[in-house]
Coordinates of all heavy atoms in Angstrom, one line a residue:
A1 N -10.0 -15.7 7.4 CA -9.1 -16.2 6.4 C -9.8 -16.2 5.0 O -9.2 -15.8 4.0 CB -8.7 -17.7 6.7
D2 N -11.1 -16.5 5.0 CA -11.9 -16.4 3.8 C -11.9 -15.0 3.3 O -11.8 -14.8 2.0 CB -13.3 -17.0 4.1 CG -14.1 -17.2 2.8 OD1 -13.6 -17.9 1.9 OD2 -15.2 -16.7 2.7
L3 N -12.1 -14.0 4.1 CA -12.2 -12.6 3.7 C -10.9 -12.2 3.1 O -10.8 -11.5 2.1 CB -12.7 -11.7 4.8 CG -14.1 -11.9 5.2 CD1 -14.4 -11.0 6.5 CD2 -15.0 -11.5 4.1
V4 N -9.8 -12.5 3.8 CA -8.4 -12.2 3.3 C -8.2 -12.8 1.9 O -7.7 -12.2 1.0 CB -7.3 -12.5 4.3 CG1 -5.9 -12.3 3.7 CG2 -7.5 -11.7 5.5
G5 N -8.5 -14.1 1.8 CA -8.4 -14.8 0.5 C -9.2 -14.2 -0.6 O -8.7 -13.9 -1.7
R6 N -10.4 -13.8 -0.3 CA -11.3 -13.2 -1.3 C -10.7 -11.8 -1.6 O -10.8 -11.4 -2.8 CB -12.7 -13.1 -0.8 CG -13.4 -14.5 -0.8 CD -14.8 -14.4 -0.3 NE -15.4 -15.7 0.0 CZ -16.6 -16.1 -0.4 NH1 -17.3 -15.3 -1.2 NH2 -17.0 -17.2 -0.1
G7 N -10.2 -11.1 -0.7 CA -9.6 -9.8 -0.9 C -8.4 -9.9 -1.9 O -8.2 -9.1 -2.8
L8 N -7.6 -10.9 -1.7 CA -6.4 -11.2 -2.6 C -6.9 -11.4 -4.0 O -6.4 -10.9 -5.0 CB -5.6 -12.3 -2.1 CG -4.7 -12.1 -0.9 CD1 -4.1 -13.4 -0.4 CD2 -3.6 -11.1 -1.3
L9 N -8.0 -12.2 -4.1 CA -8.6 -12.5 -5.4 C -9.1 -11.2 -6.1 O -9.0 -11.0 -7.3 CB -9.6 -13.6 -5.3 CG -9.1 -15.0 -4.9 CD1 -10.3 -15.9 -4.5 CD2 -8.3 -15.6 -6.0
A10 N -9.7 -10.4 -5.3 CA -10.3 -9.1 -5.8 C -9.2 -8.2 -6.3 O -9.3 -7.6 -7.3 CB -11.1 -8.4 -4.7
L11 N -8.0 -8.2 -5.6 CA -6.9 -7.5 -6.0 C -6.3 -8.0 -7.3 O -5.9 -7.2 -8.2 CB -5.8 -7.5 -5.0 CG -6.0 -6.6 -3.8 CD1 -4.9 -6.8 -2.7 CD2 -6.1 -5.1 -4.2
C12 N -6.3 -9.3 -7.5 CA -5.9 -9.9 -8.8 C -6.9 -9.5 -9.9 O -6.4 -9.1 -11.0 CB -5.9 -11.4 -8.6 SG -4.6 -12.1 -7.6
A13 N -8.2 -9.5 -9.6 CA -9.1 -9.1 -10.6 C -8.9 -7.6 -11.0 O -9.0 -7.2 -12.2 CB -10.6 -9.3 -10.1
L14 N -8.7 -6.8 -10.0 CA -8.5 -5.4 -10.2 C -7.2 -5.1 -11.0 O -7.2 -4.3 -11.9 CB -8.4 -4.6 -8.9 CG -8.2 -3.1 -8.9 CD1 -9.4 -2.5 -9.6 CD2 -8.1 -2.6 -7.5
S15 N -6.2 -5.9 -10.7 CA -4.9 -5.7 -11.5 C -5.1 -6.1 -12.9 O -4.5 -5.5 -13.8 CB -3.8 -6.5 -10.8 OG -3.9 -7.9 -11.1
A16 N -6.0 -7.1 -13.2 CA -6.2 -7.5 -14.5 C -7.0 -6.4 -15.3 O -6.8 -6.1 -16.5 CB -7.0 -8.8 -14.6
M17 N -7.9 -5.7 -14.5 CA -8.6 -4.6 -15.2 C -7.7 -3.4 -15.5 O -7.9 -2.7 -16.5 CB -9.8 -4.1 -14.2 CG -10.9 -5.2 -14.2 SD -11.6 -5.6 -15.8 CE -12.2 -4.1 -16.4
V18 N -6.7 -3.2 -14.6 CA -5.7 -2.2 -14.9 C -5.0 -2.6 -16.2 O -4.7 -1.7 -17.1 CB -4.7 -2.0 -13.8 CG1 -3.5 -1.2 -14.2 CG2 -5.4 -1.4 -12.6
A19 N -4.7 -3.9 -16.4 CA -4.0 -4.3 -17.6 C -4.9 -4.2 -18.8 O -4.4 -3.9 -19.9 CB -3.6 -5.8 -17.4
V20 N -6.2 -4.3 -18.6 CA -7.2 -4.1 -19.7 C -7.0 -2.6 -20.2 O -6.9 -2.3 -21.4 CB -8.6 -4.4 -19.3 CG1 -9.6 -3.9 -20.4 CG2 -8.8 -5.9 -19.1
A21 N -7.0 -1.7 -19.2 CA -6.9 -0.3 -19.6 C -5.6 0.0 -20.3 O -5.5 0.7 -21.3 CB -7.0 0.6 -18.3
E22 N -4.5 -0.5 -19.8 CA -3.2 -0.4 -20.4 C -3.2 -1.0 -21.8 O -2.6 -0.5 -22.7 CB -2.1 -1.0 -19.5 CG -0.7 -0.8 -20.1 CD 0.4 -1.5 -19.3 OE1 0.1 -2.0 -18.2 OE2 1.5 -1.6 -19.8
G23 N -3.8 -2.2 -21.9 CA -3.9 -2.9 -23.2 C -4.6 -2.1 -24.2 O -4.3 -2.1 -25.4
A24 N -5.7 -1.3 -23.8 CA -6.4 -0.5 -24.8 C -5.6 0.5 -25.4 O -5.7 0.8 -26.6 CB -7.6 0.1 -24.1
T25 N -4.6 1.1 -24.6 CA -3.7 2.1 -25.2 C -2.7 1.4 -26.1 O -2.3 2.0 -27.1 CB -3.0 2.9 -24.1 OG1 -2.1 1.9 -23.3 CG2 -3.9 3.6 -23.1
R26 N -2.3 0.2 -25.8 CA -1.4 -0.6 -26.7 C -2.1 -0.9 -28.0 O -1.5 -0.8 -29.1 CB -1.0 -1.9 -26.1 CG 0.1 -1.7 -25.0 CD 0.6 -3.0 -24.6 NE 1.5 -2.9 -23.5 CZ 1.8 -3.9 -22.7 NH1 1.4 -5.1 -22.9 NH2 2.6 -3.7 -21.7
V27 N -3.4 -1.3 -28.0 CA -4.1 -1.6 -29.2 C -4.2 -0.3 -30.1 O -3.9 -0.3 -31.3 CB -5.5 -2.1 -28.9 CG1 -6.4 -2.2 -30.1 CG2 -5.5 -3.4 -28.2
A28 N -4.5 0.8 -29.4 CA -4.6 2.1 -30.2 C -3.3 2.5 -30.8 O -3.3 3.1 -31.9 CB -5.1 3.2 -29.3
A29 N -2.2 2.2 -30.1 CA -0.9 2.6 -30.6 C -0.2 1.6 -31.5 O 0.9 1.9 -32.1 CB 0.0 3.0 -29.4
A30 N -0.7 0.4 -31.6 CA 0.0 -0.7 -32.3 C 0.0 -0.5 -33.8 O -1.0 0.0 -34.4 CB -0.7 -2.0 -32.0
P31 N 1.1 -0.9 -34.4 CA 1.1 -0.9 -35.9 C 0.0 -1.9 -36.4 O -0.3 -2.9 -35.7 CB 2.5 -1.4 -36.2 CG 3.2 -1.6 -35.0 CD 2.3 -1.4 -33.8
A32 N -0.4 -1.7 -37.6 CA -1.5 -2.5 -38.1 C -1.3 -4.0 -38.0 O -2.2 -4.8 -37.7 CB -1.8 -2.2 -39.6
E33 N -0.1 -4.5 -38.2 CA 0.2 -5.9 -38.1 C 0.2 -6.5 -36.7 O 0.2 -7.7 -36.5 CB 1.5 -6.3 -38.8 CG 2.8 -5.7 -38.2 CD 3.1 -4.3 -38.7 OE1 2.3 -3.7 -39.4 OE2 4.3 -3.9 -38.4
W34 N 0.1 -5.6 -35.7 CA 0.1 -6.1 -34.3 C -1.2 -5.8 -33.6 O -1.4 -6.1 -32.4 CB 1.2 -5.5 -33.5 CG 2.6 -6.1 -33.9 CD1 3.5 -5.5 -34.7 CD2 3.0 -7.4 -33.6 NE1 4.6 -6.4 -34.9 CE2 4.3 -7.5 -34.2 CE3 2.5 -8.4 -32.8 CZ2 5.0 -8.7 -34.0 CZ3 3.3 -9.6 -32.7 CH2 4.5 -9.7 -33.3
V35 N -2.2 -5.1 -34.3 CA -3.4 -4.7 -33.6 C -4.2 -6.0 -33.1 O -4.6 -6.0 -31.9 CB -4.3 -3.9 -34.6 CG1 -5.7 -3.7 -34.0 CG2 -3.7 -2.5 -34.8
L36 N -4.3 -7.0 -33.9 CA -5.0 -8.2 -33.5 C -4.4 -8.8 -32.3 O -5.0 -9.3 -31.3 CB -5.2 -9.1 -34.6 CG -6.0 -10.4 -34.3 CD1 -7.4 -10.0 -33.8 CD2 -6.1 -11.3 -35.5
T37 N -3.0 -9.0 -32.3 CA -2.3 -9.6 -31.2 C -2.5 -8.8 -29.9 O -2.8 -9.4 -28.9 CB -0.8 -9.7 -31.6 OG1 -0.7 -10.5 -32.7 CG2 0.0 -10.3 -30.4
E38 N -2.4 -7.5 -30.0 CA -2.6 -6.6 -28.8 C -4.0 -6.7 -28.3 O -4.3 -6.7 -27.1 CB -2.2 -5.2 -29.1 CG -0.7 -5.0 -29.2 CD 0.1 -5.4 -28.0 OE1 -0.4 -5.3 -26.9 OE2 1.3 -5.7 -28.2
F39 N -5.0 -6.7 -29.3 CA -6.4 -6.9 -28.9 C -6.6 -8.2 -28.2 O -7.3 -8.3 -27.1 CB -7.3 -6.7 -30.1 CG -8.8 -6.9 -29.7 CD1 -9.4 -5.8 -29.1 CD2 -9.4 -8.1 -29.8 CE1 -10.8 -5.9 -28.7 CE2 -10.7 -8.2 -29.4 CZ -11.4 -7.1 -28.8
W40 N -6.1 -9.3 -28.7 CA -6.2 -10.6 -28.1 C -5.7 -10.6 -26.7 O -6.3 -11.2 -25.8 CB -5.5 -11.6 -29.0 CG -5.6 -13.0 -28.5 CD1 -6.6 -13.9 -28.8 CD2 -4.7 -13.7 -27.7 NE1 -6.3 -15.1 -28.2 CE2 -5.2 -15.0 -27.5 CE3 -3.5 -13.3 -27.1 CZ2 -4.5 -15.9 -26.7 CZ3 -2.8 -14.3 -26.3 CH2 -3.4 -15.6 -26.1
R41 N -4.5 -10.1 -26.5 CA -3.9 -10.0 -25.2 C -4.8 -9.2 -24.2 O -5.0 -9.6 -23.1 CB -2.5 -9.4 -25.3 CG -1.8 -9.3 -24.0 CD -0.5 -8.6 -24.0 NE 0.1 -8.5 -25.3 CZ 1.4 -8.5 -25.5 NH1 2.2 -8.7 -24.5 NH2 1.9 -8.3 -26.7
T42 N -5.3 -8.1 -24.7 CA -6.1 -7.2 -23.8 C -7.4 -8.0 -23.5 O -7.9 -7.9 -22.3 CB -6.4 -5.9 -24.6 OG1 -5.2 -5.3 -24.8 CG2 -7.3 -5.0 -23.7
A43 N -8.0 -8.7 -24.4 CA -9.2 -9.4 -24.2 C -9.0 -10.5 -23.1 O -9.8 -10.9 -22.3 CB -9.8 -10.0 -25.5
A44 N -7.8 -11.1 -23.2 CA -7.4 -12.2 -22.2 C -7.3 -11.6 -20.8 O -7.7 -12.3 -19.9 CB -6.0 -12.8 -22.6
Y45 N -6.8 -10.4 -20.7 CA -6.8 -9.7 -19.3 C -8.3 -9.6 -18.8 O -8.5 -9.8 -17.6 CB -6.2 -8.3 -19.4 CG -4.7 -8.3 -19.8 CD1 -4.3 -7.3 -20.6 CD2 -3.8 -9.2 -19.3 CE1 -2.9 -7.2 -20.9 CE2 -2.5 -9.2 -19.6 CZ -2.0 -8.2 -20.4 OH -0.7 -8.1 -20.8
L46 N -9.2 -9.3 -19.7 CA -10.6 -9.2 -19.3 C -11.1 -10.5 -18.8 O -11.8 -10.6 -17.8 CB -11.4 -8.6 -20.4 CG -12.9 -8.3 -20.1 CD1 -13.0 -7.2 -19.0 CD2 -13.5 -7.8 -21.4
V47 N -10.8 -11.6 -19.5 CA -11.2 -12.9 -19.2 C -10.6 -13.3 -17.8 O -11.3 -13.9 -16.9 CB -10.8 -14.0 -20.2 CG1 -11.0 -15.4 -19.7 CG2 -11.6 -13.7 -21.5

């Protein structure tokens, strides 16, 4: 049970890292007035 639970948590962490990668593309493509907001969101995925 512990291993399955930790595996689920690892998948959650991995999904957040996928969101970081996707967020980096959003930051790069964001209009100037949204760059900080997109960066903040992407940094939150990393956290």
Side-chain angles (χ1 to χ4, degrees):
D2 192 55
L3 289 174
V4 170
R6 289 178 192 232
L8 286 170
L9 294 168
L11 285 173
C12 290
L14 182 61
S15 73
M17 289 307 297
V18 169
V20 169
E22 182 183 348
T25 63
R26 283 188 187 164
V27 171
E33 63 270 16
W34 288 103
V35 169
L36 183 57
T37 300
E38 290 299 335
F39 179 81
W40 181 88
R41 181 185 340 215
T42 301
Y45 295 140
L46 187 60
V47 170

